[in-house]
Amino acid sequence: QVQLVESGGALVQAGGSLRLSCVAAGSIVRINAMGWYRQVPGKQRELVARIDSGGSTNYADPVKDRFTISRDGAKKTVYLQMNSLKSEDTAVYYCNVEATAWGSSNTNYWGQGTQVTVSS
């Protein structure tokens, strides 16, 4: 019902920047919140940043002041601008969308993940 397509993951040197994008498509009635999570092998997936339908944001402490989440409602797209990248930011980044689709209640949807690797 809702498909998420992520892009922007890459190999970058420490101190560099990347911008991740995630486009939502499908039978969407309303997008309630959009966010980014990340996961490294052997650890649980963790929240990086989230933005709700009113534009309010929250960030994980390790990325505050370095990452910025934004959304374009018309394009059903969420972005994650990542600056001053550190080796500990290396992970698979997953887009998450809380949305109501036709015939469904509010549901969490996940993208396939995009790899971000920061070399020191």
Side-chain angles (χ1 to χ4, degrees):
Q1 289 173 312
V2 177
Q3 300 82 40
L4 304 179
V5 178
E6 301 145 333
S7 60
L11 170 64
V12 64
Q13 287 190 331
S17 298
L18 280 177
R19 188 193 196 205
L20 305 182
S21 301
C22 173
V23 180
S27 55
I28 298 169
V29 174
R30 175 184 168 87
I31 293 178
N32 299 305
M34 308 180 86
W36 290 93
Y37 289 69
R38 66 187 182 187
Q39 188 171 24
V40 297
K43 292 191 175 181
Q44 284 192 327
R45 193 172 297 185
E46 62 179 12
L47 173 70
V48 176
R50 182 179 180 274
I51 183 168
D52 67 19
S53 57
S56 295
T57 59
N58 62 289
Y59 295 90
D61 285 343
V63 308
K64 282 180 180 177
D65 301 322
R66 298 189 298 122
F67 291 10
T68 302
I69 189 170
S70 60
R71 63 188 284 177
D72 184 329
K75 295 181 179 180
K76 297 185 177 63
T77 300
V78 62
Y79 305 97
L80 185 67
Q81 177 66 43
M82 305 186 292
N83 298 328
S84 303
L85 282 160
K86 305 176 181 180
S87 58
E88 50 264 44
D89 294 319
T90 295
V92 177
Y93 283 70
Y94 294 91
C95 176
N96 173 266
V97 169
E98 299 169 28
T100 304
W102 288 106
S104 300
S105 58
N106 191 40
T107 303
N108 261 313
Y109 297 93
W110 292 93
Q112 79 284 358
T114 186
Q115 177 71 47
V116 172
T117 303
V118 184
S119 64
S120 56

